[in-house]
Amino acid sequence: LILSKRPETRGRYQRLFQDRLVTKTYRALAAMPPADLELPLVKESRLVKPRGGRQVLEVEGEPNAFSKISLLGERTPPSPRWSDATEPPPRRSVGECPSIGEYQLEPLTGKTHQLRVHMNSLGLPILGDPVYPVDRAPDPYDFSAPLQLLAASIGFDDPLTGRPRRFESGLSLGETL
């Protein structure tokens, strides 16, 4: 999110997004990938959000969403609650996975739920996601298993000064509220 207090400069900053001149990096926690999934990769698909629905769907057609997905490394949760389970529950918190990966996600386009849909389509739903793969009609005030997706950084060349600008989050994944 980039804001400008001055209406006369607002359009120049908005244009950065329209021209895809803003780099955004996210971090996410999900199960470790299967051995046959080669990362990094660029996931591309056509995403459509049905009217009145919460989930965004991948459909046939020319791709309109592109995400670069990389595995940063493996993380072991502090207290796994189902390490012997063969099939994890649809909505998992950090402590419920025997072996989780930390991913770097870079959306090259900006579609609604793009990163969540792309990770889910790879069989790697983001931990704590109440909508993918199954929409559980989440209570917006239920913070017991927070979505493990973090906006890590944003960067762009300032349209007024030409100087490169980069902002990074001081937060980390895997913490409960």
Side-chain angles (χ1 to χ4, degrees):
L1 181 62
I2 299 173
L3 303 172
S4 174
K5 289 174 42 177
R6 299 184 358 227
E8 63 273 12
T9 64
R10 193 170 301 138
R12 293 175 75 182
Y13 287 98
Q14 289 173 336
R15 184 95 189 159
L16 292 172
F17 287 96
Q18 292 169 354
D19 294 342
R20 295 188 179 152
L21 298 173
V22 177
T23 58
K24 298 167 278 185
T25 303
Y26 293 77
R27 297 275 165 75
L29 298 180
M32 284 295 290
D36 63 345
L37 181 62
E38 290 189 36
L39 296 174
L41 62 79
V42 174
K43 171 71 176 163
E44 58 182 64
S45 63
R46 181 156 196 79
L47 300 182
V48 174
K49 187 171 189 301
R51 184 179 212 98
R54 188 183 346 259
Q55 283 191 333
V56 172
L57 307 174
E58 280 189 302
V59 298
E60 292 293 322
E62 183 177 339
N64 64 357
F66 302 85
S67 302
K68 182 177 180 187
I69 300 171
S70 305
L71 178 65
L72 295 175
E74 185 173 356
R75 289 182 43 176
T76 305
S79 58
R81 292 195 291 243
W82 56 271
S83 59
D84 296 329
T86 57
E87 191 64 32
R91 183 172 182 197
R92 298 177 281 182
S93 67
V94 172
E96 293 176 320
C97 255
S99 181
I100 60 176
E102 182 171 354
Y103 295 84
Q104 179 169 294
L105 310 175
E106 300 171 64
L108 306 175
T109 51
K111 298 294 183 187
T112 301
H113 293 194
Q114 175 178 320
L115 298 174
R116 295 165 71 182
V117 172
H118 281 169
M119 288 294 287
N120 184 59
S121 73
L122 294 172
L124 303 168
I126 297 171
L127 296 179
D129 196 330
V131 179
Y132 302 96
V134 176
D135 185 352
R136 304 218 175 274
D139 174 354
Y141 299 103
D142 178 5
F143 302 111
S144 61
L147 178 66
Q148 294 299 305
L149 178 65
L150 172 69
S153 68
I154 189 167
F156 58 94
D157 288 340
D158 191 294
L160 303 180
T161 66
R163 288 187 0 215
R165 306 282 295 178
R166 183 171 171 85
F167 301 91
E168 295 194 27
S169 172
L171 300 175
S172 59
L173 291 165
E175 299 173 1
T176 56
L177 300 176

